[in-house]
Amino acid sequence: MKSSSLPADAGSAPCRRPQRFARSGHAAPPVPAMRGTAAPGHLAFPAAWGSAGLSPTVTVPDVIRREPRPEPVLLPEPVPWPEPVRDKDGKRGLPPVDVADMRVTVLIPAHNEAKQITETIASLRRQERPPDQIVVIADNCTDATAALAQLCGVEIVGTRDNRHKKAGALNQVLDRLLPIFGPQDAIMVMDADSALDPGFIRHGLDYLAAGRYAAVGGTFTGKPGGGAVGMFQRNEYARYARDVRRLQGKALVLTGTATIFRAQTLQEVVAARRERRLPGLPHVYDVRVLTEDNELTLAILHLGFRILCPRECTLTTEVMPTWGDLARQRLRWKRGALENLIDYGWTPITRPYWGRQLLSLVGIVVITAYLLSLAYSVIWLGGIQISPLWAGITVIFMLERVVTVRQRGRLQMALAGTIVVEMVFDVFLQIVQARAFWQAAWRKERKW
C-alpha cells in the first residue's frame, strides 16, 4: 500500500496548473488552481459546472452541500435513434473527428482512496496529451481523499445519497454532463488506484477520433506489494496483457481500471436503456449489477459498436493485499459476469462469453480430477504414480506457465516451472469460481 503523503510532484507547478472546461457554445473561464491546506473548507468550482447542473461548492472531506437544491431538470421526450448504418462485418462506427479538436474529461470515482489518489492524478499530469478536465468524485469519503485532490488542483464533486457505490457515483455526474457534450468530447473513467503510462490518452484518442472504435480500454499490470498473493496477481495480469496483445487488442471487457469513451457512445447507451433496447434504467451504468464495467461492455457491443484494448494503452493498478480481499474481489467479478450474461441471454454477442464460462467450468472439473488422482496415488498406491495422460497434461501446463510469464523475468519463470507454487493460486481461484457458479445457480442475494 502506498503512503498517504503527497508524492514529490503532487504539489509542484504542474499539479497546480489551471484546467479549462470549454464546450461547444459555452465560454467557460479557466479553472482556478486549488491552493491551501487540507483543513475543511469550501472549494470554488468553475462556472461551467453550474451550466451542467452540478453543485458549485463542496466541503472537504464532506460531500457536496446543495444550497439551494436545484429544480428538477425536465428532459424532452426521447426521440428514437435512427437505424445505424453498419459495415460489412455487421459493426458500426461513429463520425470521425479531428483528434486536435477532441476534449477529454477524466472521471475518477473515489471512496476513501487517500493513499492512492495523488499518484493517480500525477499520472494524468504526466500524459503526453494531458486531459482537459480531471474530476474526482468523492463518494461517501471519510478520509482525506478530497483534501489531497484539492491540493492537486482538480475538480471535486461529492455524491448525494448514493447507495450504488461506483456505478451510482458515476451516474450522478454523467447524468448532468452528457447532455452538454458534443461529438468532439471523450470521457475517460478510471479507478482511483490506477496510474496511466504516459502515452495512454494520446494513443487512445487517435483510435477514437478515426471513428472505427466507440471505446478504448487499457491493459494493466500490478503495482508492487501484497507479498505472495500480490506476486501471483502480477503474474496473472502479465498473462492477461500478453493474451490481449496476441489478439491484437480484441479484449472481452473494457475494464474499470481505465477506459476512454466517445461521449456519443454513452449517450446512445442511455437512449437504448430508455427505449428498453438494453437492460437497466436510463443511465450509463446499470446499478443492479456487481460488475458495471462488464455490463457496459456488453451494452456497447449490443449496439453494434467496436471496442479495442490496444497495446499502446497501458497502466498499473493496485493488487489485493490479502487472500480474503482477493477472494471477495474475484467472487464479485465471476458472479457479476455470470449474472450479466443471464440478463442479456443467448445472443450472437454473448455466445463467446458463454463459451468462456463453459471452459471455466471444465477447468474446475479437470483440476479437481487431477488433484483427486494425485491423492489416490499417495493414499492407496503408496506414492505418486501419474498415468501417461496426466503426465502429458502436466508438461503442457508447465510450458504454458513458463512461457506466458516470460516478461516478468527469470525468477518468475523458474517459480512457474515448478507448477506447485502457482498451483496454490490456481486452486484458490477455482474454488472461488465454483462458489460463484453455485451462488449464481441458486440466485443468492447480490452483494459487493
Side-chain angles (χ1 to χ4, degrees), residues 60 215 221 301 313:
V60 180
T221 55
L301 292 175
C313 294

Side-chain angles (χ1 to χ4, degrees), residues 75-344:
L75 299 177
E77 289 296 322
V79 177
W81 286 82
E83 185 65 24
V85 177
R86 299 180 182 267
D87 296 334
K88 293 181 179 179
D89 61 357
K91 301 294 184 180
R92 51 182 292 226
L94 291 170
V97 296
D98 189 338
V99 69
D101 293 333
M102 294 192 72
R103 297 178 292 267
V104 184
T105 299
V106 179
L107 303 182
I108 309 174
H111 172 69
N112 292 345
E113 294 287 355
K115 294 182 179 180
Q116 307 274 354
I117 192 65
T118 55
E119 181 184 6
T120 300
I121 296 172
S123 76
L124 290 168
R125 299 296 196 205
R126 292 193 297 265
Q127 288 295 295
E128 296 168 3
R129 197 293 194 186
D132 298 280
Q133 192 76 1
I134 303 173
V135 182
V136 172
I137 308 173
D139 181 33
N140 299 317
C141 292
T142 58
D143 67 356
T145 297
L148 293 172
Q150 173 193 5
L151 294 178
C152 289
V154 303
E155 319 307 341
I156 306 168
V157 175
T159 57
R160 180 180 176 85
D161 301 327
N162 177 37
R163 296 179 293 105
H164 300 295
K165 298 186 181 291
K166 178 181 175 182
L170 286 166
N171 281 342
Q172 287 193 12
V173 175
L174 288 168
D175 286 350
R176 296 292 186 174
L177 292 185
L178 280 179
I180 66 170
F181 278 5
Q184 288 79 26
D185 283 293
I187 301 170
M188 181 173 192
V189 177
M190 67 179 295
D191 285 344
D193 59 6
S194 297
L196 304 183
D197 292 332
F200 193 111
I201 293 180
R202 179 172 67 85
H203 290 294
L205 291 183
D206 286 340
Y207 284 103
L208 291 179
R212 179 173 175 81
Y213 299 102
V216 172
T219 53
F220 50 88
T221 55
K223 292 182 180 180
V229 67
M231 176 195 71
F232 289 136
Q233 291 171 82
R234 285 187 287 275
N235 287 350
E236 179 189 26
Y237 293 165
R239 291 187 174 102
Y240 170 77
R242 178 179 181 273
D243 290 342
V244 173
R245 288 195 302 270
R246 294 184 67 193
L247 293 172
Q248 298 181 335
K250 296 179 181 179
L252 292 175
V253 179
L254 296 166
T255 69
T257 55
T259 297
I260 311 178
F261 305 89
R262 286 277 293 265
Q264 184 177 339
T265 303
L266 301 184
Q267 289 166 348
E268 289 205 33
V269 168
V270 175
R273 294 198 198 280
R274 183 181 293 115
E275 297 167 7
R276 304 295 179 88
R277 291 184 287 123
L278 291 175
L281 297 174
H283 305 286
V284 171
Y285 289 96
D286 188 347
V287 298
R288 304 169 303 125
V289 303
L290 295 173
T291 46
E292 70 287 329
D293 51 356
N294 185 75
E295 193 281 333
L296 181 57
T297 302
L298 291 175
I300 292 172
L301 292 175
H302 277 85
L303 291 178
F305 290 121
R306 300 180 185 89
I307 62 173
L308 189 71
C309 292
R311 63 185 306 149
E312 300 94 340
C313 294
T314 55
L315 67 146
T316 58
T317 192
E318 185 185 27
V319 296
M320 294 294 102
T322 67
W323 290 101
D325 291 333
L326 180 63
R328 285 185 288 273
Q329 180 198 61
R330 297 310 170 86
L331 181 62
R332 180 171 63 86
W333 285 3
K334 187 67 177 181
R335 184 175 170 187
L338 288 168
E339 291 175 343
N340 293 157
L341 292 178
I342 293 172
D343 286 344
Y344 278 85

Side-chain angles (χ1 to χ4, degrees), residues 21-29 48 51-52 179-181:
F21 193 85
R23 294 284 176 254
S24 299
H26 298 271
S51 68
I180 66 170
F181 278 5

